[in-house]
Amino acid sequence: MTACKHLHGDNVRHLGGWVCGQCFEILESRPRKYRMNRLPTPAEWDAKKVGPRQEISWQAEVLKSPEGTNLSTFLTAIARRFGHRDLSLSKHESYKLALDAVKGMGVPFGHPDYDWSRASAIDIADEEMTYWDECADGSNS
């Protein structure tokens, strides 16, 4: 599997890494690209200064939605709602369910046609939990 190179996401502690805001994959670390800085001059080599080193030339941004919410805050609001509803869920399970709910929206985080506020996150959680009721009940009514 190649590392995600999408433009934005956020670090979500309870999922154990960086979550891409476009493909919603959990990555070990924030996507970045490296380059070598300038080559040292002969005088710097003679002075035994450190040679060229690698530096970050690009890294994925932590994007805030127009409402001022970042992905981790949005996922946290959904996960907490799930956790309050089902006390048997671990934090990690709640966050995985929250991530699945956001992934199911089919748009990248921060898409301008959607509301990314914490109140909207709670509404999404409540809607997802209505399906839990249907699955637990086993009936069609």
Side-chain angles (χ1 to χ4, degrees):
M1 181 176 127
T2 60
C4 170
K5 300 291 186 202
H6 286 134
L7 301 178
H8 63 81
D10 201 355
N11 187 45
V12 182
R13 182 180 63 153
H14 293 292
L15 290 174
W18 179 266
V19 176
C20 176
Q22 291 172 271
C23 67
F24 299 106
E25 293 299 318
I26 302 169
L27 308 169
E28 288 182 20
S29 63
R30 188 177 189 168
R32 52 183 58 114
K33 292 180 185 174
Y34 295 93
R35 67 176 172 165
M36 298 301 285
N37 70 351
R38 67 172 183 81
L39 293 174
T41 64
E44 290 172 327
W45 280 109
D46 290 340
K48 297 190 180 188
K49 293 190 177 185
V50 177
R53 67 178 190 274
Q54 215 176 35
E55 61 185 27
I56 296 172
S57 64
W58 170 87
Q59 69 180 356
E61 295 180 29
V62 175
L63 176 72
K64 285 195 174 197
S65 70
E67 295 82 11
T69 309
N70 59 23
L71 181 58
S72 62
T73 302
F74 194 76
L75 288 173
T76 298
I78 296 173
R80 282 186 180 163
R81 192 71 166 187
F82 287 164
H84 287 299
R85 172 68 183 280
D86 186 349
L87 298 176
S88 69
L89 290 173
S90 69
K91 282 193 181 218
H92 181 75
E93 291 169 329
S94 295
Y95 275 82
K96 286 287 284 179
L97 289 170
L99 184 60
D100 289 342
V102 174
K103 187 186 280 191
M105 294 172 66
V107 295
F109 177 75
H111 192 281
D113 291 344
Y114 288 79
D115 179 10
W116 298 99
S117 65
R118 291 176 71 183
S120 175
I122 291 168
D123 290 342
I124 289 168
D126 288 343
E127 182 179 342
E128 285 292 317
M129 289 186 293
T130 62
Y131 300 116
W132 293 4
D133 292 338
E134 291 173 9
C135 292
D137 185 12
S139 67
N140 290 333
S141 57

